[in-house]
Amino acid sequence: MVHDFNNAVVVIGGGAAGMLAAYRAAVCGAPTLLLEKKNRLGTKILISGGGKCNVTHAGPIDEVRARFRVNEGRFLRPSFFRFTNEDFVDLLTAKGMQVYTRPDGRIFPVPPGDAKDVVEVLEAHLRDAGVRVWLDAPVVSVDVEDGAVAGVTLENGDTVATRRLIVAAGGSSYPATGTTGDGWRWMAQAGHTLVPLRAALAPLYLEPTPPADWSGVALRDCLLRARRAAVADGGGGPGKELMRWRGDLLWTHKGVSGPTALGVSREVAEAIPESSVVEVDVLPDEPFERLTARLVDWCRAHPRRAVTDFVEEALPNRLVRPLFEAAGADPATRGAYLSQRDRNRLVQALKGWALGRVRHVPLERGEVVAGGVSLDEVDPQTMRSRKVRGLYLCGEVLDIAGPVGGYNLQAAWSTGYVAGETAAADLMKEENPSA
Ligand SMILES: Cc1cc2nc3c(=O)[nH]c(=O)nc-3n(C[C@H](O)[C@H](O)[C@H](O)COP(=O)(O)OP(=O)(O)OC[C@H]3O[C@@H](n4cnc5c(N)ncnc54)[C@H](O)[C@@H]3O)c2cc1C
């Protein structure tokens, strides 16, 4: 069966970018159809920020943009200014949702509001704008004829004929949320260049794997450093630093996760991951000398107490003995008996505890995937494909991967908004060339 949507904008993907694109196209006056593979909209939004949904990042939009890699930030400039972080917050608050900004700039719904409410607000905007939504409607191919979009084919064999198609099918991480890299396959077939995929914002699997009872242990406000292993650098001193990230660290049964691990993962994945190591500075605000002086003072003040008590102030209980083991110091040592050698080793371990070699950075477990449709082939002012007429791209299908902190959703909202606006304008111009 052929569904005629030639006088409409069709959007593939009911995630962050696709919902904004459909909303904006409809508000701009275009009949709009949104096709979503899953049986509900916004599946990935629902799991974002651990279900709390870090919707965007606060601050001047140009500073938000500057947190992306240079070429990505350059590409995002027009869309970020066209639809800012404040504009997105306005969209939420227009439906009664309240948001708050954490000290680190991340913006969340005020509890008990959460990711589910974000999706509900967006659904309400889609309804108000008159967007038609087809759920359980997986697209299997994008049909291009003579360099122009002709329509899409659905899994049930039906075709949707359209000349204005927005592809917002996302990336390939967390495939259970519906994102299985379909958009990339279609875009490659349509003649677009794909930048090779790499994990980003992903956990790190380590060798040796941490003991089972460390799983779930968190270290607050530490500094994680990823380095090339010394041997990969030709031996000698510590290997070259690849990336550092400050924040929380979480142990898992396979390695480490949490903002710090995610923050270094893209650089690790881009280097040879297996020759990278990670180490954690447990007390990043304490320079080596000051920490040494503090430990000396503490030992003087507490000659009879076990030095483990000092370390417990900085580390979760379960990690105290392992740190002593890593330092090669005896955890039973009392303040009065801590030798200068052991003191130095303990301070060294607190400032750079080697956690192991990176065994793997799992692409599918990343919050985003780096790589995708080359930014050179999409016009950043309009999100029009430079390869296929009537085609627009937005969201993670593009080669964009920002840091943790609401940046990736903002990229999806902004690029989606612009894609919707342009597709609607192009459609209406075509229908009414004299207007
Ligand atoms: C665990 C996790 C937590 C995250 N937390 C945050 C956070 O707190 N803040 C933040 O900024 N970012 C976060 N992100 C990243 C953010 O969710 C993504 O960057 C964003 O969702 C990308 O938007 P998108 O619209 O491009 O893709 P998606 O939101 O993934 O949407 C793509 C949609 O396309 C649909 N689709 C795919 N193929 C087809 C097809 N063949 N036919 C029809 N439909 C199809 C999918 O089902 C999906 O609904 C997180 C990601 C994950 C995985």
Side-chain angles (χ1 to χ4, degrees):
M1 182 177 178
V2 179
H3 305 272
D4 186 356
F5 280 87
N6 276 312
N7 62 352
V9 170
V10 174
V11 183
I12 309 178
M19 282 200 272
L20 256 288
Y23 157 75
R24 186 60 187 160
V27 166
C28 289
T32 305
L33 172 67
L34 177 57
L35 300 171
E36 168 54 46
K37 175 197 261 186
K38 305 289 282 185
N39 62 3
R40 62 180 307 169
L41 296 176
T43 312
K44 195 170 272 177
I45 299 174
L46 291 173
I47 59 163
S48 65
K52 296 191 175 93
C53 194
N54 174 197
V55 288
T56 185
H57 202 92
I61 194 65
D62 211 39
E63 287 177 17
V64 176
R65 182 192 70 86
R67 293 298 308 279
F68 288 78
R69 286 199 175 173
V70 175
N71 70 319
E72 298 175 15
R74 200 181 306 124
F75 178 87
L76 287 169
R77 193 167 203 283
S79 58
F80 269 33
F81 277 95
R82 181 76 194 96
F83 187 73
T84 67
N85 43 1
E86 287 176 9
D87 291 331
F88 185 71
V89 167
D90 287 348
L91 211 56
L92 296 179
T93 53
K95 293 284 178 200
M97 173 175 272
Q98 290 184 330
V99 299
Y100 74 104
T101 306
R102 290 194 183 168
D104 62 2
R106 298 196 291 159
I107 299 183
F108 288 86
V110 173
D114 60 11
K116 193 163 52 57
D117 300 290
V118 173
V119 174
E120 276 173 19
V121 165
L122 294 174
E123 285 172 332
H125 280 298
L126 292 176
R127 269 195 306 276
D128 292 354
V131 173
R132 284 181 71 177
V133 178
W134 290 2
L135 299 174
D136 288 315
V139 171
V140 290
S141 67
V142 166
D143 310 319
V144 176
E145 284 168 17
D146 300 327
V149 161
V152 303
T153 304
L154 302 179
E155 197 178 62
N156 63 7
D158 286 5
T159 55
V160 176
T162 185
R163 284 167 294 138
R164 301 289 164 197
L165 179 68
I166 299 176
V167 173
S172 64
S173 66
Y174 283 75
T177 62
T179 45
T180 47
D182 304 356
W184 293 324
R185 279 192 291 281
W186 308 324
M187 293 306 95
Q189 279 158 9
H192 272 284
T193 310
L194 296 187
V195 175
L197 306 180
R198 288 156 338 267
L201 305 190
L204 308 176
Y205 292 174
L206 298 182
E207 182 68 49
T209 43
D213 66 339
W214 294 20
S215 183
V217 174
L219 192 56
R220 303 283 169 218
D221 196 19
C222 58
L223 181 80
L224 189 71
R225 278 187 294 259
R227 298 185 180 282
R228 297 199 53 174
V231 66
D233 250 13
K240 180 174 168 268
E241 186 171 313
L242 297 167
M243 186 65 176
R244 55 171 63 194
W245 200 272
R246 185 154 176 183
D248 298 345
L249 180 68
L250 179 74
W251 271 266
T252 67
H253 61 293
K254 289 189 176 163
V256 286
S257 186
T260 52
L262 270 50
V264 303
S265 63
R266 184 173 180 183
E267 281 70 20
V268 171
E270 282 171 352
I272 306 163
E274 302 79 33
S275 54
S276 306
V277 291
V278 281
E279 63 188 33
V280 60
D281 181 344
V282 175
L283 293 163
D285 287 330
E286 290 282 7
F288 197 93
E289 297 71 26
R290 202 161 73 200
L291 186 58
T292 306
R294 253 182 68 189
L295 182 53
V296 170
D297 290 350
W298 188 93
C299 289
R300 270 200 208 111
H302 307 285
R304 286 156 193 265
R305 277 172 65 184
V307 182
T308 44
D309 289 357
F310 176 84
V311 175
E312 259 171 36
E313 289 170 18
L315 265 188
N317 238 324
R318 219 176 305 167
L319 301 181
V320 173
R321 280 179 168 267
L323 182 99
F324 273 79
E325 271 165 36
D330 179 2
T333 312
R334 306 204 167 260
Y337 299 103
L338 185 69
S339 67
Q340 188 181 354
R341 191 200 66 162
D342 282 3
R343 189 180 65 214
N344 281 344
R345 286 179 165 189
L346 269 182
V347 171
Q348 231 144 24
L350 284 164
K351 292 299 294 171
W353 184 9
L355 302 180
R357 186 177 65 81
V358 178
R359 181 166 55 80
H360 183 48
V361 190
L363 190 97
E364 70 292 349
R365 302 295 304 162
E367 289 198 358
V368 287
V369 172
V373 175
S374 167
L375 300 181
D376 296 339
E377 298 174 355
V378 177
D379 174 13
Q381 303 283 345
T382 60
M383 297 299 144
R384 282 190 197 110
S385 158
R386 295 192 204 269
K387 296 273 177 188
V388 179
R389 288 193 308 283
L391 179 66
Y392 311 79
L393 294 102
C394 53
E396 213 185 316
V397 75
L398 297 167
D399 175 26
I400 293 173
V404 181
Y407 299 96
N408 288 298
L409 280 175
Q410 185 61 44
W413 312 133
S414 295
T415 55
Y417 186 93
V418 169
E421 190 164 83
T422 317
D426 288 352
L427 176 78
M428 269 129 61
K429 210 161 156 192
E430 189 179 70
E431 307 253 297
N432 190 2
S434 58

